[in-house]
Amino acid sequence: MHTLLVHGDRHNTYMSGNLQRGGKNTASSDHAWAVTRALAADAIRAGWNRAAFLQVLLDGPYKAGHHARTLQHRRGYDSAAAWLTRAWDGARLHVQTTDPITSRQDFYAALAAFRTRIERTAWKGTAGKTDMRNLIARMEICTRAGSWDHTVSERDLAERMGCSRTTAHNSSQRLLKAKLLRQLDSGSPTEGGRWMLRPHLPHTTSQHWATHKGPQAGGAMSGPIARQPEEEANIDTLAAAQVMRHDAFAHRGLGGSGLAVLAALAELDGQTIGELQRSATVSRPTAYRQINTLRALGLVTQVGELYHLSPKALEGLGAQTQECTDPVTGWDDAARRLGTHGVGARRRQRHQAQRAHWLRVQARLAEHRRTARPAEPAPHPSVAQLHLVRPDGCVVDPTTGEVIDGLYVAADGQWIWHQNTPSTHS
């Protein structure tokens, strides 16, 4: 925050473009407002009062207060002070209503609460299931990092999610737009970008922020009577993180919906089709299709109307039933039967080749950037060239190979002609 105050938002961490109705661009003002709110929240946690905050931003030479000082110059001190006061009051309310994280234990408690909200969120559609996998992969990284800030590249994230790099990139952009994720910087040639999960989710269901499409305003499904009540999902994200990188859950395999059904049964074993439809947030035909596929692999068994996971389903080991006489012996076997075996290996090989190509390009550019060494000056004609002198002291003509009579090397390393001996070469 000290760097943000003194140097401003150099990496555009708090930048978010916005275009109001009528074409007025408010990106710069929104950026200044986000930076000011962040500084106000940190100042409140540090024990500042509002007067000190206003004095630092209006009277100090810091770049973070440039917008406030511009507002003071154009509209006067009262207008700038009112703008900063609104930012201060909003930040104080935010600090009072959120629990501060002061230790690693506090972070893990907050991460567990965040994980619970992710598990109870209705991730609808293919895009929603992909965003769920994105957040699950990032939560695993944050668990090892011990912080909401984490570093990951798009290729590494795609391998963890079990999808292509383009799919992972599009998912991250949706999460950024939904304000569930923040990009701190774009990384370096040798390190991935820095990101931060935003644990303070809105108190609404995920339909409004997990998927970017929905019933259009004024359409047939937009009336309050036609709207269906929101249903609460219930999945096990730890089980999903354990299996989602396998080829069996790739596109055209079990996919995201199959992963959600498996994670729902891992959370609460023994569910009907209707219960799976709600807990996994899938349609009824999708639930039937995925259940039948899992039953054919021996990963799910049916007892009456209830469906149960086999004892070692999370390890990819099926159980022999009446519907499945040849259960799978692992996730690789399941991927072979689904026709998606080798997708992850080809993806990792392609990513490795891209990384190697990137390193070669960087090395080639570094060679071009090196300072050229100055060419060594040509020796003076009077200086003797030792490669033309034989061990016996005779000098050889480099063109003909004949000995030059009367030409010797002096003690100072220069050529010398013997005056008494006639020269055979002019």
Side-chain angles (χ1 to χ4, degrees):
M1 284 300 170
H2 180 268
T3 304
L4 181 65
L5 174 65
V6 176
H7 301 288
D9 190 10
R10 294 181 296 181
H11 301 289
N12 293 328
T13 303
Y14 299 89
M15 175 67 74
S16 60
N18 185 22
L19 194 65
Q20 288 185 346
R21 183 177 301 176
K24 181 180 179 182
N25 193 349
T26 61
S28 60
S29 60
D30 290 347
H31 184 211
W33 176 258
V35 171
T36 306
R37 282 286 299 270
L39 288 173
D42 191 69
I44 292 171
R45 296 189 184 99
W48 288 22
N49 54 26
R50 186 176 60 186
F53 178 71
L54 267 64
Q55 181 180 4
V56 167
L57 290 186
L58 292 178
D59 298 338
Y62 308 115
K63 288 188 177 181
H66 174 73
H67 186 82
R69 292 192 297 270
T70 303
L71 190 62
Q72 179 185 9
H73 176 72
R74 293 178 178 177
R75 302 183 183 179
Y77 176 83
D78 294 339
S79 179
W83 186 77
L84 292 175
T85 300
R86 289 196 302 271
W88 177 270
D89 294 340
R92 182 177 57 185
L93 179 62
H94 171 75
V95 171
Q96 293 175 352
T97 55
T98 55
D99 297 329
I101 296 178
T102 58
S103 63
R104 187 175 291 266
Q105 288 74 17
D106 293 340
F107 165 73
Y108 286 136
L111 181 62
F114 181 76
R115 184 183 296 275
T116 301
R117 297 201 62 181
I118 296 300
E119 295 174 343
R120 298 302 181 89
T121 296
W123 300 95
K124 298 184 178 181
T126 304
K129 298 297 187 296
T130 305
D131 296 346
M132 176 191 70
R133 298 169 79 157
N134 194 333
L135 289 176
I136 291 175
R138 292 181 184 276
M139 283 191 294
E140 295 301 312
I141 300 174
C142 290
T143 301
R144 291 191 295 272
S147 172
W148 298 115
D149 298 353
H150 58 282
T151 302
V152 63
S153 64
E154 286 187 350
R155 295 183 179 89
D156 187 17
L157 182 64
E159 294 174 5
R160 293 172 182 270
M161 294 171 56
C163 63
S164 65
R165 179 189 176 187
T166 303
T167 302
H169 173 77
N170 294 337
S171 175
S172 298
Q173 294 302 313
R174 287 194 298 270
L175 294 176
L176 285 171
K177 185 177 180 180
K179 299 187 183 302
L180 294 174
L181 191 65
R182 175 179 292 170
Q183 186 173 8
L184 302 181
D185 58 51
S186 57
S188 65
T190 57
E191 295 183 358
R194 289 183 60 243
W195 304 80
M196 184 181 70
L197 282 178
R198 303 185 66 176
H200 308 295
L201 305 183
H203 297 283
T204 58
T205 57
S206 68
Q207 183 182 7
H208 305 289
W209 48 266
T211 56
H212 59 284
K213 294 183 179 180
Q216 299 294 330
M221 298 297 294
S222 63
I225 300 178
R227 288 186 181 273
Q228 298 295 329
E230 296 294 339
E231 299 166 348
E232 189 177 69
N234 191 11
I235 62 174
D236 186 357
T237 56
L238 295 177
Q242 180 181 348
V243 301
M244 68 180 182
R245 68 179 61 190
H246 293 289
D247 294 343
F249 297 93
H251 182 56
R252 301 187 185 281
L254 292 174
S257 58
L259 176 66
V261 170
L262 190 71
L265 289 176
E267 178 67 20
L268 181 60
D269 197 15
Q271 299 186 47
T272 64
I273 285 294
E275 292 172 345
L276 278 175
Q277 181 182 352
R278 293 187 295 270
S279 59
T281 320
V282 294
S283 63
R284 197 172 187 85
T286 301
Y288 271 115
R289 184 178 67 253
Q290 295 296 345
I291 281 295
N292 292 333
T293 303
L294 293 173
R295 289 177 60 191
L297 298 175
L299 300 175
V300 171
T301 59
Q302 182 179 5
V303 180
E305 295 183 355
L306 300 180
Y307 296 94
H308 303 267
L309 286 180
S310 62
K312 296 184 178 181
L314 295 180
E315 300 176 8
L317 301 176
Q320 188 172 5
T321 60
Q322 295 181 354
E323 297 81 6
C324 179
T325 57
D326 184 18
V328 294
T329 58
W331 288 119
D332 291 339
D333 187 17
R336 291 189 187 95
R337 300 189 186 188
L338 295 171
T340 57
H341 182 262
V343 173
R346 290 191 296 270
R347 181 185 300 117
R348 290 189 294 271
Q349 185 178 4
R350 182 169 61 254
H351 290 172
Q352 190 64 27
Q354 292 173 354
R355 295 186 184 100
H357 173 72
W358 172 260
L359 293 178
R360 289 194 299 269
V361 170
Q362 293 300 314
R364 186 164 63 250
L365 292 177
E367 291 179 358
H368 287 305
R369 287 192 294 264
R370 291 178 182 174
T371 304
R373 295 182 178 179
E376 296 182 359
H380 195 271
S382 63
V383 177
Q385 301 179 25
L386 299 181
H387 67 280
L388 301 179
V389 182
R390 295 193 313 188
D392 57 358
C394 298
V395 180
V396 180
D397 189 348
T399 304
T400 62
E402 298 179 355
V403 176
I404 302 177
D405 297 333
L407 184 61
Y408 301 95
V409 179
D412 57 355
Q414 295 189 3
W415 299 116
I416 184 173
W417 287 95
H418 197 278
Q419 300 294 336
N420 299 327
T421 303
S423 174
T424 59
H425 292 73
S426 56

